[in-house]
Amino acid sequence: EDQVTQSPEALRLQEGESSSLNCSYTVSGLRGLFWYRQDPGKGPEFLFTLYSAGEEKEKERLKATLTKKESFLHITAPKPEDSATYLCAVHAGNNRKLIWGLGTSLAVNP
Amino acid sequence: EAQVTQNPRYLITVTGKKLTVTCSQNMNHEYMSWYRQDPGLGLRQIYYSMNVEVTDKGDVPEGYKVSRKEKRNFPLILESPSPNQTSLYFCASSWRDPKNIQYFGAGTRLSVL
């Protein structure tokens, strides 16, 4: 069964303390892995799409990487405004939908 | 401005009273979907539509109906709401299919008493 697991569930960092969020997946025929950011009470907002192992993408303090089993979202020198829930989703095979992880809730203290 | 608009944003209703949550997108997207989000369960897809008059069930379709008569609109209908449908609902749209970027609405917080 296709599955997406995110860890940790919650993470608390001090401002400037770099860390990584993990998204591991078990799917047949990966067609794309997505990272979204969700602020409380708002809809998810797209961050990155990764298509093949070895691919990396960056945006400001965020960098997403992909292997054949997992993806990491690296956060370098985070700021309080990076506090949010980060969601990972996978599109696989001929599915007409995404498979979503439960998210990692990130809190960055000033 | 590209956007997905949901209405209402907040709704409190009673068991059995039919309601409709509207969703409209201005990006000429073919793929639209409805999700519900509950603590500990994440985003779960209710229904999706690949194009006008083409809809299909997602993971949790029971108790919901949808229609896609126009490309821009994808309303979610609860014909007889029950308390277990109390949730945060999101509409999303993307170009052609889900492997493209999905744009989400701001959400509808529904309480069924």
Side-chain angles (χ1 to χ4, degrees), chain A residues 31 34 36 38 41-46 49 51 87 91 95-98 100-102, chain B residues 9 31 35 37 40-43 45 48 50 59 90 98-102 104-106:
Chain A
R31 298 184 67 185
F34 305 82
Y36 284 79
Q38 185 176 22
K42 296 189 177 181
E45 186 178 321
F46 171 78
T49 308
Y51 293 105
L87 298 170
H91 185 228
N95 284 341
R96 294 179 174 180
K97 62 179 182 177
L98 298 181
W100 292 85
L102 296 183
Chain B
R9 292 290 316 281
Y31 184 90
Y35 294 92
Q37 188 173 40
L41 296 176
L43 277 170
Q45 192 178 52
Y48 66 92
M50 297 294 290
D59 297 315
F90 291 104
K99 75 172 183 289
N100 300 112
I101 298 168
Q102 291 207 37
F104 284 80

Side-chain angles (χ1 to χ4, degrees), chain A:
Chain A
E1 183 186 349
D2 294 339
Q3 197 167 345
V4 174
T5 304
Q6 291 189 247
S7 61
E9 286 185 23
L11 181 63
R12 186 176 294 275
L13 300 173
Q14 288 299 123
E15 185 171 2
E17 179 187 2
S18 301
S19 188
S20 297
L21 314 183
N22 178 264
C23 171
S24 64
Y25 61 91
T26 307
V27 298
S28 300
L30 178 72
R31 298 184 67 185
L33 184 142
F34 305 82
W35 283 98
Y36 284 79
R37 169 191 170 128
Q38 185 176 22
D39 293 302
K42 296 189 177 181
E45 186 178 321
F46 171 78
L47 291 173
F48 303 108
T49 308
L50 302 167
Y51 293 105
S52 58
E55 190 174 359
E56 299 183 352
K57 289 195 176 169
E58 279 187 77
K59 180 181 177 181
E60 295 180 357
R61 295 176 294 281
L62 300 176
K63 179 180 177 180
T65 62
L66 180 65
T67 73
K68 289 187 177 179
K69 295 181 180 179
E70 59 192 346
S71 176
F72 291 94
L73 185 65
H74 306 279
I75 303 176
T76 302
K79 298 182 178 182
E81 53 261 43
D82 295 321
S83 298
T85 295
Y86 291 85
L87 298 170
C88 170
V90 166
H91 185 228
N94 293 319
N95 284 341
R96 294 179 174 180
K97 62 179 182 177
L98 298 181
I99 303 163
W100 292 85
L102 296 183
T104 294
S105 175
L106 173 66
V108 182
N109 296 327

